[in-house]
Amino acid sequence: MLCIALISAVLTAVSSAQSNNNIVIEADAGKDLELKAINVMARPLKPGIHGALTIGAGADLENTLKDGGGYIKAVRESVLAAIDVPVAKQTGLSASFEREFSHYDLDLIPPSVSEIGSMHLSINRFGLIARHKLGERWSLFAIGDMTFSVENNASWGDGMTYGGLVAARQQVNKSFAWQVGVIARSRLEDQPLILPIPGIDWKINDRLALRTAQGVTLSYDLTGQKHWMFDAGVSVENRIYRMDGRSQLPDGIFIDRFIPLVTALSYQFWRGTFIKVAASTPLYRRYKFCGSDGTTVETLDSNFFPSFNFSAGAAF
């Protein structure tokens, strides 16, 4: 089991198409707020209250499963709203709510899960981010979240996870920053996880940038005007749901782990307002079904069929 996949606890992502001066965050519930918020925290604090609204949609094509396991496909829609409030000259507070709906169609061969024909699932996430600047170079931030990931008719309380991150960031110069933090998360299927999280944010030149901590992403400004951006990188998506009591696995757990090679094209109308299309080709994808206590019932590896996503957002 990959450590990177384990820390992705279905939270929000910062859009890689946005610079550190923006607060727009992408509606993608398979990614992790604690890892993605690093770039949001780095932006200069400015007076006034700011908000953001992002919508997204995506589709996983029919993924045939290895060893004749059947197939799985899914479609998703999501919406995210966020607000950013300065509470002091060097201190800011951000809050967000995200809701993602997913519909999975399944045709599974293993008898232990063959009766699960479809699932309607949702992720409901509440996030809070605090940041504080220590002079010109150093920033501290803390992130907390509470997430409810459930099948329709399952109890929100049974699908609740929570966690957070504390971290420090140094802006070494105008082109390079590094950060290090510690993440802690509860998990539906296992014991809580605690891990150190390092990362860098490197503006290689006026057009090319490299970011880590949320995977590895290279961003290229196609025109030099900060409108058209092309991204390429490797990220992690991890969706974990509590199934309802009427399933073939009553109150069980469904896990969709995904490590894709992502290519994306985005257009920024003005700072913080964008549209984006992306294609994700799996380097690794595994579906897992567990009993209510987290015991593995069935593990299904997928062949490498792509996924496609669209998102749009605005800051105000």
Side-chain angles (χ1 to χ4, degrees):
M1 189 176 298
L2 299 177
C3 291
I4 295 176
L6 292 175
I7 61 176
S8 299
V10 292
L11 303 167
T12 52
V14 170
S15 171
S16 60
Q18 310 303 313
S19 74
N20 286 342
N21 294 325
N22 300 324
I23 63 169
V24 166
I25 45 183
E26 195 172 325
D28 187 344
K31 299 179 183 175
D32 189 70
L33 176 63
E34 283 86 356
L35 302 185
K36 306 304 187 288
I38 288 173
N39 289 329
V40 171
M41 295 308 94
R43 71 179 185 84
L45 295 171
K46 296 183 179 180
I49 298 173
H50 303 277
L53 180 66
T54 307
I55 59 172
D60 298 342
L61 298 184
E62 187 171 301
N63 291 318
T64 59
L65 303 175
K66 294 181 178 180
D67 301 320
Y71 75 81
I72 296 178
K73 61 181 178 180
V75 294
R76 313 182 200 283
E77 304 87 32
S78 59
V79 60
L80 182 146
I83 188 168
D84 182 83
V85 181
V87 297
K89 184 177 181 181
Q90 300 297 329
T91 305
L93 191 66
S94 301
S96 66
F97 171 73
E98 182 176 10
R99 185 171 176 87
E100 179 187 81
F101 296 94
S102 297
H103 176 77
Y104 283 78
D105 281 320
L106 308 94
D107 184 3
L108 304 177
I109 303 304
S112 58
V113 292
S114 60
E115 296 177 16
I116 305 174
S118 65
M119 292 186 292
H120 297 272
L121 307 162
S122 67
I123 295 172
N124 306 273
R125 171 184 309 135
F126 301 86
L128 191 65
I129 304 169
R131 66 185 179 279
H132 181 72
K133 289 193 70 176
L134 299 173
E136 293 298 319
R137 294 184 180 273
W138 285 93
S139 299
L140 303 176
F141 56 93
I143 302 117
D145 74 86
M146 185 173 292
T147 301
F148 304 88
S149 304
V150 294
E151 186 177 7
N152 280 6
N153 301 313
S155 167
W156 274 33
D158 291 338
M160 182 179 70
T161 58
Y162 51 88
L165 170 76
V166 291
R169 174 185 175 106
Q170 184 188 28
Q171 189 72 42
V172 178
N173 53 46
K174 291 183 178 180
S175 299
F176 186 82
W178 67 274
Q179 59 267 327
V180 64
V182 177
I183 186 173
R185 282 220 56 81
S186 66
R187 295 181 288 175
L188 293 180
E189 82 285 13
D190 209 337
Q191 296 298 312
L193 180 74
I194 301 176
L195 281 177
I197 302 296
I200 66 169
D201 188 349
W202 180 21
K203 187 178 180 182
I204 299 170
N205 56 43
D206 289 342
R207 292 195 178 189
L208 186 64
L210 172 68
R211 297 182 179 91
T212 68
Q214 66 256 34
V216 178
T217 301
L218 275 170
S219 297
Y220 184 70
D221 185 346
L222 294 174
T223 64
Q225 302 298 315
K226 300 187 184 302
H227 288 301
W228 288 100
M229 301 291 296
F230 175 78
D231 297 339
V234 177
S235 65
V236 178
E237 298 185 24
N238 198 41
R239 292 173 170 85
I240 305 173
Y241 304 93
R242 177 69 68 179
M243 301 167 72
D244 69 34
R246 296 177 295 181
S247 169
Q248 186 179 1
L249 297 175
D251 301 317
I253 299 167
F254 172 60
I255 302 170
D256 180 357
R257 288 200 173 104
F258 184 29
I259 301 178
L261 174 64
V262 182
T263 55
L265 181 66
S266 60
Y267 181 76
Q268 189 170 227
F269 297 96
W270 54 86
R271 193 171 68 182
T273 302
F274 72 97
I275 57 173
K276 180 178 181 179
V277 291
S280 301
T281 303
L283 302 176
Y284 167 94
R285 187 153 205 171
R286 172 169 289 180
Y287 303 97
K288 181 184 283 189
F289 293 87
C290 302
S292 59
D293 61 354
T295 302
T296 300
V297 175
E298 197 67 55
T299 299
L300 300 166
D301 291 320
S302 171
N303 292 308
F304 299 145
F305 287 82
S307 300
F308 299 95
N309 296 275
F310 168 84
S311 58
F316 48 87

